[in-house]
Amino acid sequence: MSDDERAEEKELDLTSPEVVTKYKSAAEIVNKALQLVLSECKPKAKIVDICEKGDSYIREQTGSMYKNVKKKIERGVAFPTCLSVNNTVCHYSPLASDETVLEEGDILKIDMGCHIDGFIAVVGHTHVLQQGPVTGRAADAIAAANTAAEVALRLVKPGKKNQDVTEAIQKVAAAYDCKIVEGVLSHQLKQFVIDGNKVVLSVSNPETRVDDAEFEENEVYAIDIVTSTGDGKPKLLDEKQTTIYKRAVDKNYHLKMKASRFIFSEITQKYPIMPFSARALEEKRARLGLVECVNHELLQPYPVLHEKPGDFVAHIKFTVLLMPNGSDRITSHTLQELQPTKTVDDPEIKAWLSLPVKTKKKGGGKKKKGKKAEKGEGEVEPMEESSNDQGQGQE
């Protein structure tokens, strides 16, 4: 085996500057895609059109990179754009025939991902379709998710354990009289792996167990926090709403139906590893074929889940690189002004928020042109009534 091949076999991580660059390039694209999606969110806009614009932007931007390299570099959408409204919790990315539109006052959860050479950056953001500050219980849910994200950013660091984060985010949500939604997992990210084995549970309960794990330097995580003013136990109401799937690479089965074989062959060619939307497949044939593929576990579905009507649900997701000089949150978006009804006085939560994100500043660090101060560089306050700092860190 040549030295080149040996190097190939070694798992690539953040010790390689090229890997860090690819993560940050993917993050820059997905942050801009999120900005574009937000600008398209207007009353009466069709959800499917907005999702398609988000995915198209990611495809275009990644397509223009690494064009002239000898070895083909895979790049594109790592998670299809989802736009889940009000009490819908996640994974709503409808088919082309869907006519659902946004309405004034809707709470929008946007979720999307981009990858370059399999190095993945994901982002999730919540926005209320209205002018002026967000108030009441909607503000509580968003503030709870944001403050929990800021706490998680400070606890996902080398030496800390996944259980520490699970307990902390639940405590933050409770301070806003909200619940962390069950079944949401924060995964380690690796090259071409969006759901790595190291996992942070959103809520620990007897049904969902994960192995204890300790965070280590040079790892990457997608921290995924969903809060609700309801009971935090979302339900699958209609399997037909599911449109996002991922190929289960470790499963094999000889499909019986011609439509299933056709669709599965197309999926294997076009989407061998990353999650994809059934919108990209021919609709009638896809509906038929996907069922058999899912029944035999060749595809892993990402179901559309719902809290009860009237519940407010918020979602914040970010990608963090555990660098030697501290944590680098590479995906985020500024929130609207929030005026939550709750004030957080808990000393433990305040102590978590005062923890540093960077361990040591290297002298003469360059500022990126045109970039705002990174979120969460230093101490932040919990989000309180009339606060307008959106839980942002100050550099």
Side-chain angles (χ1 to χ4, degrees):
M1 188 188 282
S2 72
D3 286 349
D4 280 357
E5 284 172 324
R6 249 184 226 104
E8 288 267 305
E9 289 234 320
K10 183 179 172 290
E11 195 172 281
L12 290 167
D13 67 12
L14 300 180
T15 52
S16 155
E18 194 186 347
V19 168
V20 175
T21 299
K22 285 173 180 172
Y23 272 117
K24 290 193 170 180
S25 300
E28 194 174 337
I29 290 169
V30 85
N31 285 333
K32 285 180 178 166
L34 171 57
Q35 181 71 50
L36 171 75
V37 165
L38 275 168
S39 72
E40 296 287 336
C41 289
K42 300 180 177 84
K44 303 303 176 193
K46 264 168 73 169
I47 291 178
V48 64
D49 293 347
I50 300 170
C51 291
E52 198 47 64
K53 279 176 182 161
D55 291 349
S56 296
Y57 180 84
I58 290 172
R59 283 193 293 266
E60 284 159 20
Q61 295 299 308
T62 53
S64 65
M65 301 176 77
Y66 295 100
K67 273 166 130 170
N68 304 318
V69 289
K70 280 186 203 161
K71 187 183 164 202
K72 188 188 172 206
I73 286 186
E74 297 287 338
R75 56 212 191 276
V77 174
F79 199 85
T81 304
C82 299
L83 187 47
S84 306
V85 176
N86 298 332
N87 61 310
T88 304
V89 174
C90 55
H91 304 150
Y92 192 78
S93 188
L95 298 173
S97 56
D98 190 280
E99 297 291 329
T100 312
V101 297
L102 300 180
E103 302 291 354
E104 182 75 27
D106 280 348
I107 300 189
L108 318 176
K109 277 85 62 189
I110 300 160
D111 184 9
M112 58 204 314
C114 170
H115 81 96
I116 292 169
D117 197 17
F119 298 105
I120 299 163
V122 288
V123 68
H125 179 72
T126 301
H127 178 80
V128 182
L129 206 54
Q130 66 173 57
Q131 299 298 311
V134 179
T135 59
R137 294 294 281 149
D140 288 345
I142 300 170
N146 189 68
T147 304
E150 291 290 347
V151 166
L153 176 62
R154 287 156 177 75
L155 295 182
V156 177
K157 57 191 203 185
K160 291 279 189 191
K161 295 195 162 54
N162 54 356
Q163 189 58 37
D164 301 337
V165 181
T166 303
E167 288 164 7
I169 61 174
Q170 288 180 115
K171 184 163 188 174
V172 171
Y176 289 96
D177 196 18
C178 290
K179 290 272 197 324
I180 296 286
V181 170
E182 289 184 10
V184 178
L185 301 176
S186 295
H187 285 276
Q188 185 183 2
L189 300 173
K190 292 184 174 184
Q191 189 180 21
F192 292 110
V193 180
I194 201 165
D195 48 4
N197 290 337
K198 278 195 180 179
V199 174
V200 180
L201 264 182
S202 51
V203 178
S204 43
N205 60 30
E207 295 93 74
T208 328
R209 292 213 173 278
V210 296
D211 293 338
D212 289 341
E214 190 174 293
F215 306 113
E216 294 173 52
E217 199 171 281
N218 295 317
E219 290 180 336
V220 182
Y221 285 88
I223 301 302
D224 200 350
I225 292 170
V226 185
T227 52
S228 172
T229 58
D231 64 8
K233 297 176 194 287
K235 304 278 187 293
L236 171 65
L237 299 182
D238 181 2
E239 280 184 9
K240 287 196 188 75
Q241 285 190 322
T242 303
T243 60
I244 296 175
Y245 301 88
K246 183 168 81 74
R247 168 91 171 82
V249 286
D250 55 339
K251 294 278 194 288
N252 285 299
Y253 175 78
H254 185 68
L255 294 159
K256 306 285 185 284
M257 284 168 56
K258 191 176 175 186
S260 309
R261 291 197 296 274
F262 179 86
I263 283 297
F264 191 64
S265 161
E266 188 181 350
I267 290 165
T268 304
Q269 281 170 0
K270 289 187 185 169
Y271 311 104
I273 296 168
M274 296 290 178
F276 64 92
S277 164
R279 199 169 49 246
L281 310 168
E282 190 197 321
E283 195 164 319
K284 275 190 179 152
R285 197 175 241 177
R287 272 199 192 284
L288 269 174
L290 289 168
V291 174
E292 192 185 3
C293 295
V294 171
N295 287 345
H296 294 285
E297 299 181 349
L298 294 177
L299 296 177
Q300 172 193 329
Y302 287 80
V304 178
L305 300 176
H306 302 265
E307 281 280 68
K308 293 187 180 73
D311 291 344
F312 296 108
V313 180
H315 184 195
I316 304 271
K317 184 194 280 189
F318 64 89
T319 305
V320 60
L321 314 182
L322 304 190
M323 303 295 287
N325 66 332
S327 299
D328 192 354
R329 176 179 180 167
I330 56 171
T331 58
S332 63
H333 195 284
T334 310
L335 291 166
Q336 293 157 287
E337 185 185 342
L338 301 176
Q339 294 179 356
T341 68
K342 309 290 175 201
T343 309
V344 176
D345 295 318
D346 187 288
E348 192 174 20
I349 295 174
K350 289 193 164 182
W352 286 326
L353 290 169
S354 68
L355 292 170
V357 175
K358 298 284 188 201
T359 46
K360 53 185 183 289
K361 283 274 184 184
K362 299 214 167 136
K366 285 190 292 191
K367 279 270 190 180
K368 282 203 181 167
K369 283 187 290 189
K371 259 209 154 183
K372 290 180 190 158
E374 287 290 335
K375 270 182 123 170
E377 287 280 296
E379 185 175 333
V380 297
E381 285 294 312
M383 303 186 78
E384 295 181 350
E385 196 170 352
S386 303
S387 88
N388 196 13
D389 69 352
Q390 291 125 30
Q392 305 269 58
Q394 300 87 35
E395 278 214 305

